[in-house]
Amino acid sequence: MSDVNDVKNVFVIGLDDANLPTLEAAPAAKSLRYHPLLTVEELQGGEVSVPELIDKAQAVLDAFDGSIDAIVGYWDFPVSTLVPILAERYGTRSTGLESVVKCEHKYWSRLEQQKVTDRHPRFGRVDLDTDDPKPPENVRFPMWVKPALSYSSELAFGVKDMDEFRDAVRQIREGISRVGRPFEYILDQLELPPEMDGVGAQVCLAEEAMTGLQVAVEGYVHEGEVTVYGVLDSINYPGTSSFQRHQYPSTLPPPVIDQLHDVTERTMRQIGFDEATFSVEYFYDPKAQEINLLEINPRHSQSHAELFQYVDGVPNHHSMLGLALGEDPRMPRREGPYAMAAKWYYRWFTDGVVRNVPSPEDLARIEHETDGVRVDVTTEEGQVLSDLSQQDSYSYELAHVFTGGNSEKDLREKYDHCVAALGLTFDETPQERPHE
């Protein structure tokens, strides 16, 4: 990378304390200076205004007395779309806005996918304006009903009959504008193809449910060439659709990995993605020996950074930074201290009030007690779980636990130790809240 005296300025949209250690662990970090650009609260709280966010970001960038060498981000919308917008205005490297939106807009993404592969579920639009909404004719139960754009599976519902379908549509209708309305602004910046005429951003999608093992494919596109640098297994809590952990590297057989590479490469080329990292989620059905594409995330997968650091020796931020700075984005392979790693999601499946949240000193002690462990608590004392934003429709995230080890038994034992050491407890939710 760059000479140590040639410090480059990297602006990180939504820079947060949880990701700063892994950003600083990237090989290039010694010659980089990271600058925060907009806060996570500004980016994700309530209904965002994209024009206001752009104005705030430009005010910071215009006032900066130095070179603007890269603008990066690792959160979902609006960050995923702000990166290419600001990159174009300030002459930094990024994929184009249209390629990002083709991934973010779940309906448009399906239209693009079906041009190059049949490895996706049957899908169709749901009319939110009618008094009697019905599933698309070609989509059968069980299915998922979701907005074209959402955060962290928010307002995504698995339904198995018409009663559940109608209830899901009702909830989506009530909540879709929070993200859909600002997404309209982004769509207005593009010249849309005929198949997207009249679709808009506040659209609801139904897709047949997929079964099997869930897996994530991470990679980047550089000078038109698609590179996959990692495949991870995504394992749910038993009997649920909520992630328990992501585990790297995948345990799927090599022929399946080859299929994943092939479909990913064709799809990302079709979308026109370039000079950025991505993550594509799939299901693999062992009985049919078939893969099915779930969704494409057109952003850097910051949540897996520690896993690559544990196994390959550097966090995957290395690729994001290399692309943004016009340098070599190639990842090392299996040069880390552990054979495998996992990111665990400590969840609670009923409402409650969080108690006994550990202090930063407590977390430091837990991490010191066991090698290959990092803990990030995502809640706080007195938090009413049902008030948390950006959760899936069925559970509440309390903490992320990263573990590195030489076997799955190692990973699980370290996770169990961390959960016990955290000592979180929960009170029942009060029936009536006091008036503010």
Side-chain angles (χ1 to χ4, degrees), residues 144 235-244 349 394:
W144 280 86
I235 299 156
N236 291 344
Y237 280 84
T240 78
S241 59
S242 300
F243 287 137
Q244 181 197 62
F349 286 84
Y394 305 101

Side-chain angles (χ1 to χ4, degrees), residues 110 120-124 135-146 157-159 205-211 283 292-294:
R110 289 296 190 209
H120 56 76
R122 284 190 282 264
F123 67 96
E137 287 184 7
N138 64 321
V139 180
R140 299 170 300 192
F141 290 110
M143 66 181 69
W144 280 86
V145 186
K146 60 185 82 172
F157 298 95
V159 302
L205 189 67
E207 302 180 339
E208 285 188 10
M210 292 174 273
T211 58
F283 276 90
N292 264 312
L293 199 160
L294 175 60

Side-chain angles (χ1 to χ4, degrees), residues 348-353 384-387 396 426-429 433:
W348 205 247
F349 286 84
T350 58
D351 200 4
V353 182
V384 178
L385 292 176
S386 57
D387 288 344
Y396 307 102
F426 308 90
D427 294 341
E428 289 187 12
T429 309
R433 307 273 181 85

Side-chain angles (χ1 to χ4, degrees), residues 354-375:
V354 182
R355 302 297 183 200
N356 298 316
V357 175
S359 67
E361 292 75 22
D362 293 329
L363 294 178
R365 175 182 50 79
I366 293 169
E367 294 175 351
H368 182 71
E369 286 173 353
T370 309
D371 70 291
V373 160
R374 191 180 149 226
V375 184

Side-chain angles (χ1 to χ4, degrees), residues 251-272:
T251 57
L252 291 177
V256 179
I257 302 289
D258 290 344
Q259 283 187 59
L260 293 167
H261 281 231
D262 175 58
V263 173
T264 299
E265 289 167 15
R266 282 190 278 133
T267 303
M268 299 314 292
R269 278 198 298 268
Q270 170 63 33
I271 283 168

Side-chain angles (χ1 to χ4, degrees), residues 49-95:
S49 167
V50 176
E52 286 182 15
L53 291 174
I54 292 172
D55 287 345
K56 284 183 180 179
Q58 289 191 157
V60 172
L61 294 167
D62 290 346
F64 181 68
D65 184 19
S67 62
I68 299 170
D69 299 297
I71 300 171
V72 300
Y74 40 69
W75 300 107
D76 289 320
F77 180 84
V79 175
S80 55
T81 52
L82 290 174
V83 170
I85 289 172
L86 293 172
E88 183 177 11
R89 296 187 183 186
Y90 290 89
T92 59
R93 292 161 58 91
S94 165
T95 191

